[in-house]
Amino acid sequence: MTTVSNEQTAIIRTERGLSIAGTRITIYDIMDYVTAQYPPKFIRGLFDLTEEQINGALAYIEANRATVEAEYQMVLKEAEELRLYYYEEKNRDLIARIAAMPPRPGTEAIWEKLRAAKAKREDKA
């Protein structure tokens, strides 16, 4: 494990990638919200970070933007590949069986509302 210090907060490289020292929170977790332009105060509260930790993480991201962005894109790509493999390929048969099952007694009306909402949403697309 290597440590990269930025002011008072340490960003460390672990098996999970660049992480905020003393947490299991990665810089890539933070990047999801930075990319979506969430305010630092919201991100801080979401991850229960100290002011020092969030400021250090954001400063590290800005100071190393190109490297962090490249790693972040790799993390997103790997996550999508895993999702496709584990969710879609491994569960395809199970999802098809569940979808083919009739609704439980007493839930027919709700299922009909869901089907109507889905059809309406697909018509708009």
Side-chain angles (χ1 to χ4, degrees):
M1 176 173 10
T2 60
T3 302
V4 181
S5 291
N6 186 38
E7 299 174 1
Q8 298 292 331
T9 302
I11 303 299
I12 58 174
R13 184 171 294 281
T14 66
E15 67 279 353
R16 296 168 46 92
L18 292 170
S19 302
I20 298 171
T23 72
R24 293 181 49 87
I25 301 165
T26 67
I27 291 294
Y28 322 116
D29 295 328
I30 302 292
M31 281 292 291
D32 288 337
Y33 295 94
V34 170
T35 302
Q37 300 180 344
Y38 281 80
K41 187 175 181 177
F42 178 85
I43 300 169
R44 178 180 168 227
L46 186 66
F47 290 103
D48 196 28
L49 297 171
T50 65
E51 189 78 30
E52 183 179 277
Q53 288 172 318
I54 190 65
N55 289 341
L58 295 174
Y60 183 86
I61 290 168
E62 283 306 311
N64 302 282
R65 183 62 107 168
T67 304
V68 171
E69 186 65 40
E71 287 185 34
Y72 178 62
Q73 292 305 317
M74 287 177 31
V75 167
L76 291 177
K77 183 180 179 220
E78 289 173 6
E80 179 62 14
E81 289 171 355
L82 287 172
R83 185 190 69 78
L84 288 172
Y85 176 73
Y86 284 106
Y87 180 73
E88 299 205 1
E89 287 185 31
K90 292 238 178 213
N91 293 316
R92 186 169 290 146
D93 293 337
L94 175 62
I95 292 168
R97 281 196 318 268
I98 291 171
M101 292 173 65
R104 284 183 275 177
T107 62
E108 295 86 357
I110 273 226
W111 277 103
E112 191 51 46
K113 284 183 181 180
L114 285 171
R115 282 188 202 98
K118 183 178 179 182
K120 186 176 180 180
R121 189 179 73 238
E122 288 174 351
D123 287 342
K124 287 182 181 181

